Amino acid sequence: MTDQWVTFAKLGTADLVRLAGEIDLANAPEIGREIARQTGRSGAVLIDLTAVSFLDSAGVRLLDALVGDLDEAGTPIRLVVGETGAARMTLQLCAFRDDLLATDLDRAADEVGR
Amino acid sequence: MLFAHGYGCDQNMWRFVAPEFADTHRIVLFDHVGAGKSDLRAYEDERYSSLDGYASDVLEIVHDLDLHDVVFVGHSVSAMIGVLAAIREPERFAKLVLIGPSPRYINDGDYVGGFGRTDIEEMLDSLDNNYLGWSSAMAPVIMGHPERPELGAELVNSFCATDPGIAKKFAHVTFLSDNRDDLPRLRVPALILQCTDDVIAPKVVGDYVHENLEGSTLVAMNATGHCPNLSAPAETVAAIKAYL
Amino acid sequence: MPWEEDPGDLYEHAPCGYLTTLPDGTIVRVNETFLAWTGYARSQLVGQRRFRDLLSPGDKIYHETHYAPLLSMQDDVHEVAFDVVCADGRRLPTLINSVLGRNPGGSPRLIRTTVFNATERRGYEKELVAARRAAEASEVRVRALQEVVANLSAAPTASEVAEAVVRAPAAAFEADAASVWLVDADRDQLTAIASTDSAGPARDDIPRGSSRPIAEVARRGDLHVVHCLAGAEEQFPELAETMRRLGYATAVLLPLTNGFAGESIGAEVLGVLSFAFTEQCELTDAELSVVRLLGHQAGHALDRARLYDDARRREARATFLAGTTRALEELPRLMPRARRLVERVVPEIAEWAAVRLQIGPAGLLADAGSPAPDPERLAERVALVVANGKPEFTDDGPDPDCAVLPLSVSGKVLGTLALRMAPGRRTAAAEAVFLTDLADRAGLALENARLYEQERAIARTLQRSLLAGDPPTDPRFAVETHYQAATHDLEVGGDWFDAFLITPDKLAVVVGDVVGRGIDAATTMGQLRSAIRALASAEAGPARLLERLDRFVDRVESARMATVAYAEIDLTTSEMTYACAGHLPPLLTKPGDAPTYLLQGRSGALGSRAGRTARLEHRTPLPPGSRLLLYTDGLIERRNRRLDKGFELLARTYAGRRDSPLPGLTKGLVQSLVGTDHADDVCLLCLAIGTEERLERSIGADAVQIALLRKDLRGWLVSHDVDEESTQAVLLACSEAVANAIEHGYRNDPFGIVDVTATVTTGAVEVEVTDRGDWKATGSSQTRGRGLKLIEQVMDEVVFDRAEGTTVTMRRTRREAR
């Protein structure tokens, strides 16, 4: 059901979560559950938001909860966003920590894979 | 005062006791179905297959005569019949007098009732022997017409007339009954008269009843045997009067 | 005198025993005769024992309940029978007479008792008692058997017959235990079906060829009475062991046969009744003949029950097969049909079932129930069945009661139906005919479904490829389309839509419908669609285009009687020219007007010989904000409804949604007018023209609607040349405000409506979001807090008005004005 918005892959040792399209109140909870299910035992997680064309506060809520859970488990996580775009705008507005955000996927993979 | 006779006899057994209370109480005597002058046609296997049926009879008497504040005096098995009746309609009963009560005649685990199961079976044989023994003229009756109880009633030349067939069934119900669980449900005060050397309801049974009947009074009598109302009427009357 | 007697000697040696006791029974005097009879020494009794102490326990009770009260009341008791327990424990039957002596005052003084030796008389009496009991027992037996026979005749099933039979031995012969075993011909075994044992019947089935006594008796068909253990050792050592273990001394094994009394040839053994006694007992000839009678009665009842069972089973099977065929036909598609098949089979027939179809690289599987058999063995058997096309039954072994049946049509194996029979049913092999019938019907139904899927897939692929291609995007207009295929039809229809730019300023929109269904219709539709694109030109106009189409149809016969609604819109003049060739009239909404059907420009269907062939067209202004709806007949035509009612309903529904965002509008119309269960294809195209100065939308309180609204709003903002950054900001703020309204205002009202109004000026964009929900007691202010903060961050002015419901007014200055 969530395939059109979220897909999963491996990048190095990290689990790569690719988000795409519009993430809002209607699909965020379901996407969140799917990500939690797939990354429950990951060593490191990369969330690629470069293909996200819209992100609302429900999407932010989902990312916030995800980061919280992974931080608690000591699992490194990076949110990869484009230089511009909807996801970057929303996340910046919500003042996400700088150390969480990355613009380059490969570099982020190196960082979390250390 | 409502007097209920025990197994093996009829209301005649109260002849030395009941008159002593006539001045102070209305005296009601009756025969259980199958005993004395009761209507034998009223006997139904189903109804009298447990003591509850007999308890219902007691309550019917109480209702038909519109009795209140009843002092119920029950001998032997009728003591338990009175307990069952008073559990069902406690508001009608003021006090119970239980003479030689036993909630369970057969030993059961830690419980001592006084008899083994084979003893009871032997007793039922004993009944057979005695109905025969009273008259050999019974033989044709036994062989062909066991359903003619009127013969039995005539043949029993005694005050305590009982129908042999019913007596046997009553013996079954009486001696195989187990009313131990009913005792704690009684809310009416009760006097327990315990005889010395009573083989039917030994002292341990009397103590058991006393322990399990809240607010009961136990009086140990000098009278011996199971029928102090006959063997020691004066002591029996005195004990009841003292209690009332 | 020689007959003078010494009274002392007479007392001591009288021909009866004398006892004198105190009123409480204590023995104070006893004569020699009594002592000689009982073996007691005088010193053991006098002053030591009470009379009742010498009685057996049963007689003690009688003494207390009868003898003592009688004596007290009558002063004498006659001929009471007591067993006196002698010194050596022996019992002496006696008859007792007692007299109670009283003191002058009337109080009891002592009891005098004579004891007569009644050994012989009591022996006679005991015989009488025994005879009476025998007579009673005989009467009981006859009554018990009458009752059993009555129950047998009322028992419709074998198990009820067995329940009646198993109670007979106890009732008629006072047997201590009984069991009934039924011959199960399918499984070639004997199964315990009823028992007086509280644990129920034994669970070990006995093969008919076994050496065990039950099987032996079933084979021999004779009554076997084993009177004692020694006899059992001799006849059936195994039975002896069982009897010893369970404490039985005598056992009876009775075959239940359907023959007549006295004839055993040709009689079939249908079961065995075994019963046993803990006390060793001899059964008299009379009793044995009653036992045999019972065996015949029970056998006949079992025979009747068996016939009844057969008839009922046949009827149930026929009903099941007919019901299954009907149930499968209801679902045209393959997987739902396969699933329904296993759901029909489990649990009524089987406790587990699986349909495997050899379709696609991995095959298809539908299963239900449990436990599944061992997968490897199953796979082997499935492969065998697929290869041979013959069913496989396994009645015993590691996966008992399983069957794998081929699902085949005219020799071709489509797949398999594997199942494990439900417990309590007959074996799979015994039901072979029925199961094969079931598999044949299922095979045909599944093959039909497969063909349906195949055809449908081809046609759908074709149709999708023909309808593919996004409509042109242009800030001056927007197109929304929806196609919904019929639910039940095997084939696709020939409906189509199209929108294309003839010139940069001239837009064409089309909806058409080719007669017929299936691949032919889909192909023709494709040809017509291409033809229209090819024939449309800047100069021709709709009427000329239709004329040319008529000529095309002359060559393509399958396109004859196709209908088309065609419109050209001049985007510079905001004028539309339209024509309908036999097609339903377009529906137009102009800003501020009610929807109107466009009834001009009508002529006959393409290639029609009866219709007007002169092609007409009509010109009408199409001011910005207008919406034009083209559609096919599936949207409004119903078999049980007049067409004008359909038009009325469409106009009303369309009017109700005039403020809905364009995205999702056509789908929404189909959902409310047609639903998901529909008999015909439906094809819609909605064209929104021009740029609205003011965007007004109403959406339902459903989070899914927000994305549609965003799409609409984005298009509107783009058409007003709003810069990308502001567009992003407005989209985010508007989404958050609507989400707030849905999550809080309408948290208890899924049918609430959120109104969104947007206006744009050269300097700013203003959006107003209004709900009429109840915002009281919002428990989750924190979750929406972030949304509100976002709104405030991206918009320059935010005003909340909570007078009636909630209105959020948000304003953002455009980049150019910053």
Side-chain angles (χ1 to χ4, degrees), chain C residues 467 479-483 494-500 508-514 525 529 532 546 562-567 579-584 586 606 628-634 666 682-687:
Chain C
L467 289 176
V479 175
E480 176 78 3
T481 58
H482 184 69
Y483 188 93
D495 293 8
W496 90 92
F497 56 75
D498 200 5
F500 56 94
V509 289
V510 196
V511 163
D513 188 356
V514 170
M525 174 270 270
R529 189 165 177 267
I532 291 173
L546 289 180
T563 64
V564 177
Y566 176 81
C580 283
H583 204 87
L584 296 175
L606 297 183
L628 176 71
L629 182 73
L630 306 182
Y631 54 92
T632 55
D633 50 11
T666 46
V682 186
C683 181
L684 277 86
L685 181 149
C686 185
L687 168 69

Side-chain angles (χ1 to χ4, degrees), chain C residues 118-130:
Chain C
T119 309
E120 283 183 20
R121 178 174 169 174
R122 289 282 293 286
Y124 164 68
E125 285 171 1
K126 275 188 176 148
E127 274 173 29
L128 282 181
V129 170

Side-chain angles (χ1 to χ4, degrees), chain A residues 22-27 53-62 64-65 85-86 89-96, chain C residues 703-707 710-711 714 725 728-729 731-732 735-736 738-740 742-743 783-784 786-787 790 793-794:
Chain A
E22 304 197 348
I23 314 288
D24 71 358
L25 182 64
N27 56 12
S53 55
F54 181 81
L55 185 69
D56 79 344
S57 64
V60 171
R61 217 143 70 206
L62 133 74
D64 193 84
M89 176 183 82
T90 310
L91 291 179
Q92 271 178 346
L93 287 169
C94 289
F96 263 46
Chain C
V704 175
Q705 301 266 342
I706 306 177
R710 253 193 326 264
K711 193 174 173 193
R714 184 191 292 277
E725 198 186 332
Q728 289 284 4
L731 289 178
L732 183 60
S735 288
E736 295 293 347
V738 174
N740 257 344
I742 292 171
E743 270 201 315
T783 56
R784 291 300 335 158
R786 187 173 265 147
L790 279 175
Q793 279 177 299
V794 298

Side-chain angles (χ1 to χ4, degrees), chain C residues 327-567:
Chain C
L328 294 184
E329 275 167 6
E330 281 167 15
L331 300 173
R333 303 203 52 186
L334 184 60
M335 274 315 281
R337 209 172 255 201
R339 261 197 300 279
R340 178 160 288 186
L341 175 62
V342 294
E343 278 159 14
R344 289 276 306 176
V345 170
V346 176
E348 201 175 328
I349 305 294
E351 58 180 347
W352 164 87
V355 169
R356 279 183 177 68
L357 299 172
Q358 315 287 111
I359 291 167
L364 297 175
L365 170 69
D367 60 355
S370 67
D374 176 71
E376 272 181 39
R377 276 195 298 273
L378 178 65
E380 274 172 33
R381 238 171 279 142
V382 165
L384 204 63
V385 171
V386 169
N388 301 337
K390 298 238 166 15
E392 286 275 316
F393 299 99
T394 43
D395 274 358
D396 41 24
D399 292 314
D401 257 0
C402 283
V404 180
L405 305 143
L407 296 165
S408 50
V409 178
S410 37
K412 192 186 80 173
V413 179
L414 179 68
T416 55
L417 167 63
L419 50 83
R420 181 201 296 283
M421 297 303 277
R425 286 195 69 93
R426 300 177 66 200
T427 63
E431 297 275 19
V433 174
F434 162 67
L435 291 177
T436 308
D437 199 356
L438 173 67
D440 287 348
R441 287 170 187 241
L444 189 62
L446 291 171
E447 172 65 3
N448 284 341
R450 191 188 64 81
L451 291 172
Y452 166 78
E453 291 280 359
Q454 202 173 42
E455 176 107 357
R456 185 180 147 103
I458 295 169
R460 286 268 172 261
T461 310
L462 181 62
Q463 186 188 46
R464 212 171 298 133
S465 69
L466 293 173
L467 289 176
D470 288 331
T473 49
D474 192 302
R476 294 170 293 179
F477 64 88
V479 175
E480 176 78 3
T481 58
H482 184 69
Y483 188 93
Q484 182 167 296
T487 317
H488 300 302
D489 269 306
L490 190 70
E491 300 166 303
V492 295
D495 293 8
W496 90 92
F497 56 75
D498 200 5
F500 56 94
L501 283 167
I502 305 168
T503 68
D505 292 325
K506 191 171 257 187
L507 170 71
V509 289
V510 196
V511 163
D513 188 356
V514 170
V515 177
R517 309 194 64 80
I519 297 171
D520 280 354
T523 319
T524 307
M525 174 270 270
Q527 286 175 310
L528 271 178
R529 189 165 177 267
S530 307
I532 291 173
R533 281 199 172 219
L535 295 172
S537 69
E539 305 78 30
R544 289 284 304 283
L545 180 124
L546 289 180
E547 281 163 18
R548 290 174 188 172
L549 269 186
D550 282 330
R551 287 204 284 282
F552 172 79
V553 167
D554 281 342
R555 299 198 306 276
V556 182
E557 186 57 29
S558 58
R560 193 173 295 281
M561 297 308 288
T563 64
V564 177
Y566 176 81

Side-chain angles (χ1 to χ4, degrees), chain C residues 489-773:
Chain C
D489 269 306
L490 190 70
E491 300 166 303
V492 295
D495 293 8
W496 90 92
F497 56 75
D498 200 5
F500 56 94
L501 283 167
I502 305 168
T503 68
D505 292 325
K506 191 171 257 187
L507 170 71
V509 289
V510 196
V511 163
D513 188 356
V514 170
V515 177
R517 309 194 64 80
I519 297 171
D520 280 354
T523 319
T524 307
M525 174 270 270
Q527 286 175 310
L528 271 178
R529 189 165 177 267
S530 307
I532 291 173
R533 281 199 172 219
L535 295 172
S537 69
E539 305 78 30
R544 289 284 304 283
L545 180 124
L546 289 180
E547 281 163 18
R548 290 174 188 172
L549 269 186
D550 282 330
R551 287 204 284 282
F552 172 79
V553 167
D554 281 342
R555 299 198 306 276
V556 182
E557 186 57 29
S558 58
R560 193 173 295 281
M561 297 308 288
T563 64
V564 177
Y566 176 81
E568 290 178 358
I569 297 96
D570 187 328
L571 297 169
T572 51
T573 62
S574 292
E575 262 189 343
M576 170 172 79
T577 314
Y578 69 91
C580 283
H583 204 87
L584 296 175
L587 185 57
L588 175 66
T589 333
K590 290 181 191 171
D593 283 354
T596 327
Y597 285 102
L598 302 181
L599 299 169
Q600 309 295 318
R602 299 195 62 76
S603 52
L606 297 183
S608 163
R609 280 141 195 155
R612 265 205 310 266
T613 47
R615 294 304 175 184
L616 300 177
E617 62 182 34
H618 189 76
R619 186 179 297 249
T620 181
L622 206 60
S626 299
R627 279 180 179 183
L628 176 71
L629 182 73
L630 306 182
Y631 54 92
T632 55
D633 50 11
L635 186 64
I636 57 167
E637 280 186 2
R638 294 289 174 280
R639 237 169 247 154
N640 52 359
R641 186 171 72 197
R642 278 169 49 188
L643 191 60
D644 54 352
K645 286 280 171 211
F647 282 127
E648 212 177 290
L649 197 60
L650 172 60
R652 198 157 357 111
T653 312
Y654 191 54
R657 288 167 186 264
R658 59 179 308 148
D659 293 332
S660 297
L662 184 65
L665 172 67
T666 46
K667 189 175 180 187
L669 281 175
V670 172
Q671 275 168 357
S672 69
L673 286 168
V674 182
T676 48
D677 189 26
H678 45 96
D680 204 357
D681 288 18
V682 186
C683 181
L684 277 86
L685 181 149
C686 185
L687 168 69
I689 204 75
T691 303
E692 295 161 89
E693 288 310 309
R694 181 183 163 85
L695 179 118
E696 284 181 28
R697 299 290 183 261
S698 300
I699 68 167
D702 175 3
V704 175
Q705 301 266 342
I706 306 177
L708 301 174
L709 173 74
R710 253 193 326 264
K711 193 174 173 193
D712 207 15
L713 186 58
R714 184 191 292 277
W716 181 81
L717 288 167
V718 167
S719 70
H720 282 284
D721 284 331
V722 176
D723 62 285
E724 177 61 20
E725 198 186 332
S726 297
T727 299
Q728 289 284 4
V730 170
L731 289 178
L732 183 60
C734 182
S735 288
E736 295 293 347
V738 174
N740 257 344
I742 292 171
E743 270 201 315
H744 294 284
Y746 291 129
R747 69 195 177 283
N748 297 324
D749 181 8
F751 303 107
I753 298 288
V754 184
D755 292 322
V756 179
T757 312
T759 49
V760 62
T761 61
T762 48
V765 181
E766 195 172 288
V767 182
E768 203 177 88
V769 175
T770 302
D771 69 72
R772 278 159 294 280

Side-chain angles (χ1 to χ4, degrees), chain B residues 53-227:
Chain B
Y54 291 94
S56 300
D57 286 354
V58 169
L59 290 174
E60 276 179 31
I61 292 169
V62 168
H63 285 273
D64 286 357
L65 300 179
D66 196 23
L67 305 180
H68 294 273
D69 295 326
V70 175
V71 174
F72 178 93
V73 185
H75 174 237
S76 191
V77 66
S78 282
M80 286 318 300
I81 291 170
V83 168
L84 293 175
I87 287 171
R88 274 157 59 180
E89 297 190 25
E91 64 281 1
R92 293 280 189 160
F93 294 86
K95 286 181 170 121
L96 303 185
V97 177
L98 312 176
I99 304 175
S102 173
R104 173 75 168 161
Y105 293 93
I106 299 175
N107 302 330
D108 181 4
D110 290 343
Y111 174 82
V112 178
F115 295 95
R117 190 167 277 271
T118 48
D119 297 338
I120 300 299
E121 273 159 21
E122 205 170 81
M123 186 268 299
L124 295 172
D125 277 347
S126 176
L127 281 179
D128 272 343
N129 290 338
N130 276 297
Y131 289 117
L132 269 177
W134 285 342
S135 171
S136 55
M138 284 289 278
V141 176
I142 292 160
M143 292 307 292
H145 309 282
E147 73 279 12
R148 287 174 61 191
E150 72 277 12
L151 283 177
E154 278 171 21
L155 290 165
V156 181
N157 176 23
S158 86
F159 284 100
C160 289
T162 51
D163 172 75
I166 297 176
K168 197 167 173 183
K169 287 172 185 164
F170 190 21
H172 258 283
V173 171
T174 300
F175 290 103
L176 299 178
S177 66
D178 184 353
N179 299 98
R180 283 175 290 173
D181 291 345
D182 294 312
L183 295 178
R185 296 165 53 211
L186 181 69
R187 294 283 165 267
V188 177
L191 169 66
I192 301 159
L193 293 183
Q194 177 64 46
C195 291
T196 309
D197 276 333
D198 183 347
V199 293
I200 307 266
K203 185 169 177 303
V204 281
V205 173
D207 289 343
Y208 180 90
V209 174
H210 180 45
E211 260 172 50
N212 286 279
L213 279 186
E214 204 182 315
S216 63
T217 307
L218 177 75
V219 172
M221 299 176 69
N222 292 321
T224 57
H226 189 53
C227 300

